Amino acid sequence: MAETTEKELKVVYERPKSLLPVVTNFCPGCPHGIVERTMCEVMDELGIEGDTIGVAPVGCAVISYDFFGCDMIEAAHGRAPAVATAVKRVQSNKVVFSYQGDGDLASIGMAETIHAATRGENITVIFINNAIYGMTGGQMAPTSLPNQVTQTSPYGRDVTTAGNPIRVCELLSSLDGPAYIERVTVDTPKNVRKAKKAIKKAFQNQIDGVGYSFIEVVSTCPTNWGMTPQGAFEWMRENMLPYYPLGVYRDVVADGFANAAEAAAARNADCPIAHPEKKGEN
């Protein structure tokens, strides 16, 4: 048998250059590593690592600055969108993203989330929804499902007292500011590819000045759920995906608009005060 020559060797996968060569300390089976690797692949493909600034708040996302090769800023709990807004307005030529969990984004930082979205800030938000507070021990989060057992809901989430879970994509899609909103997951290779496509579109939208993009990743927390990684994905598919359906919730470019502002103007076209330029046309 002939020896394999160097010319016959082909690299089929390698660590993204935007992903630092360190061992991550996420829990075994945690999808955070999959999402962050995917984001780094996108940064490499777009050639933006040196022009990207990420914002990580408190939560499992707090250790992300150890893994991303781009510049990173640490924000107070829930304040990542506000910090990202400031960075983008000062450094408008940079690509700015926030990387947040559900307890951070949908609870402590809900005000920042909604107002950054409604202002249509030209940033990218990556939202990890694992239906629980991960880093701080597994408390009930705004996204915890009805009857889901957590450290602070040992008998299951009682919607009569705690209310129903918040569907963030659906909530933000009611606003005029966002340009692109999509919910994905990373439980299979096929879904990882779909998630990567969505993340890449979100970054490209920012580069093109289309506006605010929001990618929700329906995820798992095997450690605090008390399951194996495989069991957690099965539980997610059986329980989370029916409540948090995957798909695109807003895409102004696909709707034929150049950016979110143009789409918003079309939606409020019949409001006289919003369009003073139309006075006298009738």
Side-chain angles (χ1 to χ4, degrees), residues 34 185-195 233 236-237:
I34 301 174
T185 190
V186 291
D187 62 326
T188 65
K190 179 180 180 180
N191 281 336
V192 171
R193 289 192 292 270
K194 287 183 178 180
F233 273 136
M236 179 201 76
R237 286 188 286 266

Side-chain angles (χ1 to χ4, degrees), residues 104-116:
D104 175 86
L105 180 146
S107 180
I108 298 164
M110 179 57 91
E112 282 76 4
T113 295
I114 290 178
H115 287 287

Side-chain angles (χ1 to χ4, degrees), residues 53-214:
I53 302 172
V55 183
V58 176
C60 295
V62 75
I63 55 178
S64 296
Y65 45 71
D66 288 334
F67 314 132
F68 286 118
C70 61
D71 289 335
M72 295 293 296
I73 296 175
E74 175 62 31
H77 208 171
R79 314 307 173 211
V83 174
T85 294
V87 172
K88 185 66 178 183
R89 291 192 179 195
V90 173
Q91 299 279 354
S92 60
N93 61 324
K94 301 296 184 182
V95 178
V96 182
F97 72 87
S98 70
Y99 183 82
Q100 302 174 257
D102 48 352
D104 175 86
L105 180 146
S107 180
I108 298 164
M110 179 57 91
E112 282 76 4
T113 295
I114 290 178
H115 287 287
T118 202
R119 290 193 306 267
E121 300 293 343
N122 191 29
I123 61 176
T124 301
V125 177
I126 308 298
F127 168 47
I128 309 299
N129 174 9
N130 57 17
I132 208 167
Y133 275 83
M135 185 191 72
T136 51
Q139 302 96 319
M140 183 179 69
T143 51
S144 297
L145 297 175
N147 301 315
Q148 182 177 349
V149 173
T150 73
Q151 290 293 332
T152 52
S153 59
Y155 301 106
R157 177 174 185 154
D158 182 355
V159 298
T160 62
T161 56
N164 286 285
I166 297 174
R167 295 181 174 96
V168 181
C169 283
E170 290 85 340
L171 177 65
L172 297 186
S173 66
S174 69
L175 306 175
D176 286 334
Y180 177 50
I181 302 171
E182 184 167 358
R183 181 182 286 133
V184 298
T185 190
V186 291
D187 62 326
T188 65
K190 179 180 180 180
N191 281 336
V192 171
R193 289 192 292 270
K194 287 183 178 180
K196 180 179 177 180
K197 183 178 179 181
I199 292 170
K200 190 171 186 177
K201 182 178 178 69
F203 276 112
Q204 189 64 56
N205 277 347
Q206 184 177 164
I207 294 168
D208 295 339
V210 177
Y212 178 96
S213 293
F214 181 89

Side-chain angles (χ1 to χ4, degrees), residues 10-74:
K10 181 181 179 180
V11 175
V12 294
Y13 182 78
E14 61 182 347
R15 176 189 291 270
K17 294 179 175 58
S18 298
L19 184 64
L20 297 177
V22 297
V23 177
T24 65
N25 53 348
F26 291 122
C27 297
C30 176
H32 271 294
I34 301 174
V35 178
E36 294 195 0
R37 182 205 68 203
T38 302
M39 292 172 63
C40 289
E41 290 177 358
V42 167
M43 282 191 272
D44 283 0
E45 292 174 11
L46 295 176
I48 59 173
E49 177 195 348
D51 293 316
T52 298
I53 302 172
V55 183
V58 176
C60 295
V62 75
I63 55 178
S64 296
Y65 45 71
D66 288 334
F67 314 132
F68 286 118
C70 61
D71 289 335
M72 295 293 296
I73 296 175
E74 175 62 31

